[in-house]
Amino acid sequence: MSSLQYLMEVYADDSITEKEAVELIALLEAEPEELLKAKESLEFHGLLQEHSRFDFNGDELVEAVSRSIDFSKSPDTFEKNILSKTKKLSRKRKIIMYLPLAASLFIVAGMWFLNRHVTNPKSVNTVEKMDVEITLAKLIAQENTEWRKDRDGTTVGQSFTKGSYKLLRGTAVLQNEAGTTITLKAPVEFELLNSERFFLHSGELGIKVNKGTFSVDTKEMLVVDLGTEFSLRTSPEKTSLYVFEGEVGVFSTSNPDESKMDSIRLKEGKGLLYDGQEFVLTDHNISQLGKASDIYTQLQSKEYFVIDLTGNHPQKLNKLTLYNYGQEEQGYNYYSKGFTVQVSKNSRKNFKTVFEGTLQAKTGPQNFDIPLTEARYVKLIINSGYEEGFLELCEFTVFNTDGINVAAAKEGGKMFDFHSDYPFEIEKGHWVAANIIDGKTSGHASDSWASNGKALFDEFLTVQLSENKSHIIDRLVIYNYGQEEGGYNYYSKDFTILTSNTTNDRKAFKTLFKGTLKPRTGPQKFQFDETEVKFLKLVINSGYRTGFVQVGELEVYSTEERNVAAAENGGYIIGFSSQDQRHIKKGFWTAGNLIDGLKSKPAGSWCSEKLLPSNKKR
């Protein structure tokens, strides 16, 4: 989106386009105080001496600009029109969601404007070179990522400048200077236009605005957001938008030459689909990504260790060695896999990434050379493992340029902080965080670390769909339950839907959908793209209260409007993580209740076992 200063200037020069005029009106209506700032900026550069058209207030300017556009239909009229219809819009009546657009490009446009010489307004080459050097966003978190080859080596803390990017694998989170986070789930291809504007070519991203505004372009629409959270997904077949919080507005860009510009606002809990022919409004959560803020929280909750190195002063570091462990001798594969090393010279908070690597699933030393760096504190982050359940590690050594392991406890290294360790054998000294710097590498519980598994253990129930065959599904309904009538609040909260169209093997399942349940009874509907499925797994990631999680009923609908999960239609529970054992003989709280057609009460609902700190024992 153009800056207010730029829009005012092109209007003053009589060169403003229809679309730019619409943007200018929206900006002034959203941020009228920005008019004064823009006028002062223009005056500073001597431009207002020539442009008397700005000698009036914002309302007068809006009225003047409006006269330059042929508005045959007002936004309010259109909004009432669209909402009264059957939730469908023809291609001839493109939606232009027109919400107040706050002044954007405060970094890029500011530098562009200050460096633009009045006597040479077309010095574009200089401007473009400057834009390339400006940091528009930074990578603040990522997991199992692979970027396009020309972006190889992208690490946490790295600056993103103007240009095109493609995330081939994994999840990444960017943040601009205003604090807005942009969550990317591969595969996704996008272009960074400025600090407050993306162009999404393909894939899905989620936006959580901190302050100010943010906008995202696609081939079909321009989504404008003010202090809210939404997700946007686009592909050659369709584009979808869903608002989690607040409001957004969207310009139609499929036909920029169209003279009639309509508009509508999307509020919290509303979605929009465009299939290349028509727009469809929906109340269903059509986001496959889920809430971006939740994903960032999950990435932040990774297992980590902070070590205060020998001597309580910075050391020159150039090498590290890790000894992996995974209880392979007992048939497990809890080896750690991806890891990140961050350092800080004199603070336990301001860490920067110096190395990212991958551990092999084997015992013994694994050596890594790192760039020469000076640090007092080292943070080891375990990003992933080879098997769900737990993460384990035997030893972590950090060498200075003198070849001394300055992380070792015997050399004075201290375990300053860590995310978790296994809580049930602490008194024996088994699996505790301090074991990774104790100098012992034999690979036993007494000299190794293990996570508590909390982030990796989720309650799940797996359904074999009707008649043990594949069905094309596009929506589901969940009836939450939490024993509210008994004074409890055991409602389930966040959930994930995994599907497989081949086998029930864990590795065959892929994530289809993530969502959040409200703490209430009654149907809660969720819609997604048509998918062919034979097995469906409901994973409960969190609840509204510790102790238990409960669900009343799960209904999965095919495109033929048939509940293919229902037991009466041949659906069958073939796996689950737990069920409450206390009243199982009465048929209370069993896994089978999830698809029995009853929506609540103990005889018609499922309940987990009592949740321990890690949800499970080893």
Side-chain angles (χ1 to χ4, degrees):
M1 204 160 136
S2 305
S3 68
L4 183 57
Q5 291 93 331
Y6 169 74
L7 291 173
M8 290 176 68
E9 184 181 353
V10 292
Y11 171 66
D13 289 337
D14 287 323
S15 60
I16 192 168
T17 66
E18 182 179 278
K19 186 175 180 180
E20 287 171 339
V22 173
E23 293 184 27
L24 177 55
I25 293 172
L27 279 167
L28 293 172
E29 288 183 340
E31 301 288 346
E33 68 276 9
E34 292 296 323
L35 176 63
L36 179 60
K37 297 179 183 178
K39 288 175 68 176
E40 290 175 348
S41 180
L42 290 171
E43 188 174 26
F44 175 77
H45 290 275
L47 297 179
L48 286 188
Q49 296 175 9
E50 304 173 29
H51 302 322
S52 59
R53 300 179 72 181
F54 291 111
D55 291 335
F56 39 70
N57 61 34
D59 291 337
E60 292 170 334
L61 179 58
V62 168
E63 183 180 350
V65 178
S66 298
R67 289 195 294 270
S68 68
I69 308 174
D70 180 17
F71 282 114
S72 59
K73 187 181 299 179
S74 73
D76 290 341
T77 301
F78 174 73
E79 186 168 337
K80 293 175 183 177
N81 226 359
I82 180 87
L83 293 177
S84 66
K85 291 185 177 295
T86 60
K87 296 185 178 181
K88 292 188 177 183
L89 300 175
S90 69
R91 187 183 182 93
K92 293 181 180 180
R93 300 186 50 177
K94 305 288 190 303
I95 296 178
I96 303 162
M97 297 181 193
Y98 159 92
L99 192 70
L101 310 179
S104 65
L105 218 64
F106 62 92
I107 296 176
V108 181
M111 294 192 70
W112 168 82
F113 197 87
L114 289 173
N115 287 274
R116 180 178 180 185
H117 198 279
V118 177
T119 59
N120 185 19
K122 297 183 178 181
S123 54
V124 177
N125 292 335
T126 304
V127 174
E128 290 180 346
K129 290 180 180 178
M130 287 190 60
D131 282 347
V132 172
E133 302 301 323
I134 298 172
T135 295
L136 303 181
K138 285 192 175 183
L139 182 67
I140 60 173
Q142 65 177 349
E143 180 179 36
N144 300 327
T145 56
E146 178 185 352
W147 296 84
R148 193 174 58 194
K149 287 185 178 181
D150 61 332
R151 305 291 183 182
D152 271 353
T154 301
T155 59
V156 172
Q158 187 163 326
S159 296
F160 276 56
T161 57
K162 185 177 180 179
S164 298
Y165 299 83
K166 189 172 186 179
L167 182 63
L168 304 174
R169 181 170 60 89
T171 304
V173 182
L174 304 181
Q175 186 176 62
N176 69 5
E177 188 176 76
T180 293
T181 56
I182 305 98
T183 300
L184 309 161
K185 187 76 171 180
V188 59
E189 186 171 3
F190 64 95
E191 185 176 355
L192 207 53
L193 302 177
N194 60 57
S195 63
E196 295 181 336
R197 190 174 185 180
F198 265 52
F199 194 104
L200 180 62
H201 293 283
S202 64
E204 185 171 14
L205 55 75
I207 306 295
K208 174 65 175 177
V209 173
N210 179 43
K211 60 182 179 179
T213 186
F214 199 91
S215 58
V216 184
D217 291 82
T218 71
K219 182 180 178 182
E220 303 294 344
M221 60 180 71
L222 165 63
V223 181
V224 182
D225 171 273
L226 285 172
T228 183
E229 183 167 5
F230 70 93
S231 71
L232 181 65
R233 181 181 181 85
T234 187
S235 67
E237 293 78 28
K238 65 176 64 176
T239 297
S240 61
L241 166 71
Y242 185 78
V243 182
F244 291 99
E245 298 175 7
E247 288 185 69
V248 301
V250 179
F251 286 99
S252 170
T253 56
S254 57
N255 188 358
D257 296 329
E258 197 169 50
S259 60
K260 294 182 180 181
M261 290 191 167
D262 298 328
S263 68
I264 191 173
R265 297 180 182 184
L266 277 190
K267 297 185 178 182
E268 179 176 333
K270 301 295 183 180
L272 178 73
L273 292 169
Y274 179 70
D275 62 2
Q277 298 296 323
E278 60 184 8
F279 288 92
V280 180
L281 294 173
T282 176
D283 293 330
H284 300 305
N285 183 346
I286 53 179
S287 169
Q288 296 185 24
L289 178 68
K291 293 186 71 174
S293 56
D294 291 342
I295 294 174
Y296 181 40
T297 299
Q298 293 170 11
L299 292 179
Q300 285 183 306
S301 64
K302 296 193 176 301
E303 299 294 337
Y304 68 84
F305 312 88
V306 178
I307 301 168
D308 188 350
L309 301 180
T310 301
N312 297 326
H313 60 79
Q315 302 275 346
K316 292 183 178 180
L317 313 175
N318 63 354
K319 180 182 177 182
L320 55 89
T321 300
L322 287 87
Y323 292 76
N324 211 353
Y325 187 54
Q327 286 188 281
E328 189 173 5
E329 69 280 3
Q330 297 183 33
Y332 299 113
N333 187 24
Y334 294 141
Y335 290 104
S336 294
K337 188 178 181 182
F339 71 94
T340 300
V341 174
Q342 298 180 340
V343 299
S344 176
K345 189 172 181 179
N346 49 27
S347 169
R348 294 187 294 268
K349 295 182 179 179
N350 299 321
F351 285 90
K352 66 175 182 178
T353 298
V354 295
F355 187 79
E356 291 183 327
T358 302
L359 290 167
Q360 297 179 42
K362 66 176 186 178
T363 56
Q366 300 184 46
N367 301 314
F368 302 89
D369 292 323
I370 63 174
L372 181 64
T373 186
E374 192 172 1
R376 174 179 171 179
Y377 300 97
V378 173
K379 186 175 186 178
L380 171 66
I381 303 172
I382 306 298
N383 300 315
S384 61
Y386 282 91
E387 182 171 306
E388 292 184 2
F390 297 89
L391 295 168
E392 296 181 349
L393 188 67
C394 183
E395 194 75 9
F396 177 55
T397 62
V398 182
F399 294 95
N400 65 12
T401 52
D402 295 325
I404 299 173
N405 175 14
V406 290
K410 67 178 182 180
E411 297 290 345
K414 303 181 187 69
M415 181 63 66
F416 178 81
D417 188 21
F418 59 93
H419 184 263
S420 80
D421 51 18
Y422 185 61
F424 300 105
E425 298 181 31
I426 290 177
E427 70 282 357
K428 299 178 183 179
H430 292 179
W431 310 116
V432 297
N435 288 350
I436 71 167
I437 58 171
D438 64 359
K440 301 176 183 178
T441 59
S442 57
H444 297 294
S446 60
D447 57 36
S448 299
W449 162 83
S451 68
N452 72 4
K454 183 176 182 180
L456 300 173
F457 265 129
D458 296 301
E459 296 292 335
F460 70 87
L461 302 101
T462 305
V463 183
Q464 177 182 287
L465 299 185
S466 175
E467 301 171 359
N468 192 22
K469 68 178 185 180
S470 298
H471 299 270
I472 298 176
I473 65 173
D474 62 358
R475 67 186 179 95
L476 57 87
V477 179
I478 299 177
Y479 291 77
N480 210 354
Y481 188 54
Q483 283 186 281
E484 190 173 3
E485 68 279 5
Y488 301 107
N489 185 24
Y490 293 138
Y491 290 104
S492 294
K493 187 178 181 183
D494 298 308
F495 69 93
T496 302
I497 298 295
L498 306 173
T499 62
S500 168
N501 195 38
T502 54
T503 71
N504 185 35
D505 184 85
R506 178 175 60 83
K507 296 181 180 179
F509 283 87
K510 295 182 178 179
T511 299
L512 171 66
F513 181 81
K514 290 178 181 283
T516 300
L517 292 166
K518 296 179 180 179
R520 60 172 174 80
T521 55
Q524 299 185 46
K525 302 175 183 179
F526 304 89
Q527 190 167 352
F528 39 81
D529 291 341
E530 293 182 3
T531 306
E532 192 170 5
V533 176
K534 186 175 182 180
F535 301 96
L536 182 143
K537 181 181 291 188
L538 168 65
V539 182
I540 304 299
N541 305 119
S542 65
Y544 283 90
R545 178 178 175 178
T546 58
F548 301 90
V549 285
Q550 299 177 347
V551 178
E553 190 77 7
L554 170 67
E555 298 175 346
V556 181
Y557 286 92
S558 68
T559 52
E560 299 172 348
E561 294 297 316
R562 183 166 174 254
N563 178 10
V564 292
E568 65 179 6
N569 291 330
Y572 190 72
I573 296 289
I574 59 173
F576 55 89
S577 55
S578 75
Q579 58 185 5
D580 191 354
Q581 301 293 321
R582 295 170 297 170
H583 306 291
I584 198 167
K585 291 182 179 180
K586 298 180 181 180
F588 291 178
W589 311 120
T590 64
N593 290 349
L594 190 72
I595 57 172
D596 65 353
L598 302 178
K599 310 295 194 299
S600 62
K601 307 297 182 184
S605 302
W606 163 83
C607 180
S608 68
E609 285 185 280
K610 185 173 178 62
L611 302 178
L612 296 170
S614 62
N615 282 14
K616 289 279 188 180
K617 287 189 177 181
R618 293 167 71 82

